[in-house]
Amino acid sequence: MAAKKEEKGPSMIETFQEFKETKNIDRTTLVSVLEESFRNVIAKIFGSDANFDVIVNPDKGDFEIHRNRIVVADGEVKDENKEISLSDAQKIEPDYEIGEEVSEEVNFSKFGRRAILNLRQTLASKILELEHDSLYNKYKDKVGTVVSAEVYQMWKREVLLIDDEGNELHLPKSEQISRDTYHKGETVKAVVLRVDNENNNPRIILSRTSPVFLERLLEAEVPEVSDGLITIRRVARMPGDRAKVAVESYDERIDPVGACVGVKGSRVAGIVRELCNENIDVINYSSNIQLFIQRALAPANVSSITIDQENRKAEVYLQPDQVSLAIGRSGMNIKLASMLTEYTIDVFRVVSEEEADEDIYLDEFSDEIDQWVIDSIKAIGLDTAKAVINAPREMLIEKADLEEETVDQVLQVLKTEFEQ
C-alpha cells in the first residue's frame, strides 16, 4: 500500500496539500469538496464515478481512490470501467472467482498531466467559492459591530485592512474621519457598515463616521449601557468635530448622562481620542418633542418653541444672546440638534411688542432689493424686515439658498432703514 502511494508522484501530493489548509472552511465541508472534485475528474475520464470509492484525509494531506469492478469470464467484458476479466482479476489475487467484486487502488497520477490540471482547477474553483460564502456569512452577521484590523495598503479613495484571518476589509474615504491618519501595520477600529456580494465576491465595507460606531464605542466603555440599564436612543454625528447622543434609563437611581460621561469625562475621554477629538454631548432623551429639542439645542436656553408635527418642523425663539449658542460654530449645533430630534429647526430672536409694531413688510423694499431675493426669503416664512434681521445669518444663507454677499446686502439695507 505504501509503495502505491509513493507512485502518485510529488505533483499529485502537492496538488492535494495545496488545498488541505484552507481558511474559513470546516473539515467536514473540505472533505466533501475534495471528494466531489476527485469524482468530477474521474467521471470525465471513465464516464461514471458510481463504482469508485474516494477517501480523503486532509489532516495527513493524503487521499486514496479505489475502483470496484465485477469479475466476468474472459472475453465477456463489456464495460472495462465496471467489469474485469477473470484472468486479470486473478493477477491481482489468484483466488478471485466470477461474480466477485474486485477493489483496487487507482494511481491518479497515471491519468496524466491534464487530469491533474483539471483537478487543480476544479478544487481551486470550488474552494474559492466556499471561502467567499464563508467570508460573506461571517461578516454579514457582524454588520453593526466593531472590528479591529491591520492597515495593509493606503490609496487615495480607500484604505485596505487585513483581519486576523487574512481577509481584506475596505475603509472608503467617505467613511473615514477627515483628521484620520493611517500607517502601514497599525491597528484600526471601525464598525462593519455593510457587506456587498456582487457576483459572489464579498466586499466588506467598514466605517468610522457612522453613528453606529460611536454607539458601539459607548457600549464598550459604559457598563450600564452594555448591561441594558441605559439605552442609547439617538446618535447624531459630524465626524471628527462634534456629536450629540440622547440616552435614557428606566432605573430612577441611575443618571444616564453622568454614567455615560463618567467622573470628569473619564468614560468618554478614550472615545474622544479614538474619534480624533470629536466633542461628545450627552443629553437625556425625552418623548416630549418640545423638551427634547430644548435639550438638543444646549448650551442655549430656549424661550419658547412652536411645533409643526405634521411637517416635523420646529420654530425656536431665543433671547438675542442665546441665538449664537443655539446655532453654534458653522451652524454645527443646530444641525446636530435637527439630526438628533429628526425635526427641521428654525431659530428666531425674541422681539418686544414695541419692536414688532415698528416692523415693515419686505415687499416695501423692492426698490432696493431684487424681488427674487425677497421671494426667496419669504419662502422660508420671513415676511417682515424685523423677522429677517432677527433671523440668524447662517439660516438665511442655508434655508433661503442665498450667497453670503447677497444676505449681507439685504441685512445692511434693512438695518439702515431702522437706523434712520
Side-chain angles (χ1 to χ4, degrees), residues 91-102:
K91 291 177 183 177
I92 300 171
E93 293 288 346
D95 54 351
Y96 272 126
E97 297 180 0
I98 292 174
E100 290 187 323
E101 185 178 73
V102 174

Side-chain angles (χ1 to χ4, degrees), residues 2-146:
K4 286 185 179 181
K5 288 182 180 178
E6 288 175 4
E7 290 172 4
K8 292 172 184 175
S11 61
M12 194 60 241
I13 293 296
E14 288 169 6
T15 296
F16 180 83
Q17 289 182 334
E18 184 177 336
F19 298 99
K20 72 167 186 170
E21 296 295 337
T22 308
K23 61 185 179 183
N24 300 329
I25 301 178
D26 62 85
R27 186 182 184 280
T28 302
T29 303
L30 179 60
V31 168
S32 176
V33 168
L34 291 168
E35 180 179 337
E36 183 182 354
S37 299
F38 277 112
R39 287 190 174 279
N40 285 341
V41 177
I42 291 169
K44 288 180 180 179
I45 295 172
F46 295 101
S48 171
D49 65 309
N51 58 312
F52 285 81
D53 293 327
V54 179
I55 304 169
V56 294
N57 188 342
D59 296 332
K60 294 181 179 180
D62 199 4
F63 65 95
E64 292 181 16
I65 299 175
H66 295 266
R67 179 166 62 168
N68 305 308
R69 293 186 289 180
I70 301 298
V71 179
V72 298
D74 291 350
E76 295 186 7
V77 175
K78 296 179 181 179
D79 185 345
E80 292 186 355
N81 181 41
K82 296 181 179 180
E83 298 174 334
I84 184 173
S85 66
L86 178 61
S87 58
D88 287 341
Q90 289 177 344
K91 291 177 183 177
I92 300 171
E93 293 288 346
D95 54 351
Y96 272 126
E97 297 180 0
I98 292 174
E100 290 187 323
E101 185 178 73
V102 174
S103 180
E104 59 180 330
E105 188 172 358
V106 176
N107 189 337
F108 193 92
S109 63
K110 289 187 177 179
F111 295 155
R113 183 174 175 275
R114 180 171 294 183
I116 295 174
L117 183 60
N118 193 339
L119 175 65
R120 289 175 64 88
Q121 292 173 339
T122 303
L123 277 173
S125 175
K126 288 185 176 295
I127 294 211
L128 182 61
E129 183 179 338
L130 279 173
E131 285 182 344
H132 284 176
D133 288 344
S134 176
L135 181 60
Y136 175 76
N137 290 328
K138 174 184 176 180
Y139 274 95
K140 180 186 66 174
D141 295 335
K142 284 190 174 184
V143 170
T145 63
V146 173

Side-chain angles (χ1 to χ4, degrees), residues 275-404:
L275 301 180
C276 300
N277 294 322
E278 183 174 314
N279 290 321
I280 301 173
D281 300 334
V282 183
I283 67 170
N284 282 304
Y285 173 81
S286 175
S287 56
N288 180 326
I289 190 60
Q290 286 194 348
L291 180 57
F292 190 31
I293 290 174
Q294 180 179 325
R295 290 172 176 172
L297 285 171
N301 292 317
V302 176
S303 297
S304 63
I305 301 177
T306 301
I307 300 293
D308 179 356
Q309 289 187 339
E310 184 177 349
N311 296 306
R312 298 190 73 79
K313 292 183 178 181
E315 292 182 353
V316 178
Y317 297 88
L318 308 99
Q319 295 298 326
D321 63 339
Q322 297 296 307
V323 172
S324 60
L325 292 175
I327 295 171
R329 179 173 55 86
S330 302
M332 195 178 298
N333 195 57
I334 192 170
K335 288 177 183 176
L336 283 170
S338 293
M339 291 163 62
L340 192 72
T341 61
E342 298 176 353
Y343 266 71
T344 300
I345 301 174
D346 292 327
V347 172
F348 301 93
R349 290 180 176 87
V350 174
V351 296
S352 65
E353 291 184 11
E354 183 180 342
E355 290 176 316
D357 290 339
E358 296 175 356
D359 211 348
I360 304 171
Y361 284 107
L362 278 184
D363 288 325
E364 295 186 28
F365 293 89
S366 59
D367 57 336
E368 297 177 82
I369 303 173
D370 290 339
Q371 188 61 46
W372 69 269
V373 175
I374 292 174
D375 292 340
S376 297
I377 296 174
K378 288 171 64 177
I380 64 172
L382 305 178
D383 297 324
T384 67
K386 285 288 181 67
V388 175
I389 292 173
N390 290 326
R393 176 176 176 276
E394 292 83 357
M395 190 182 85
L396 293 171
I397 295 169
E398 183 178 344
K399 299 283 187 183
D401 194 23
L402 296 173
E403 297 290 336
E404 291 187 29

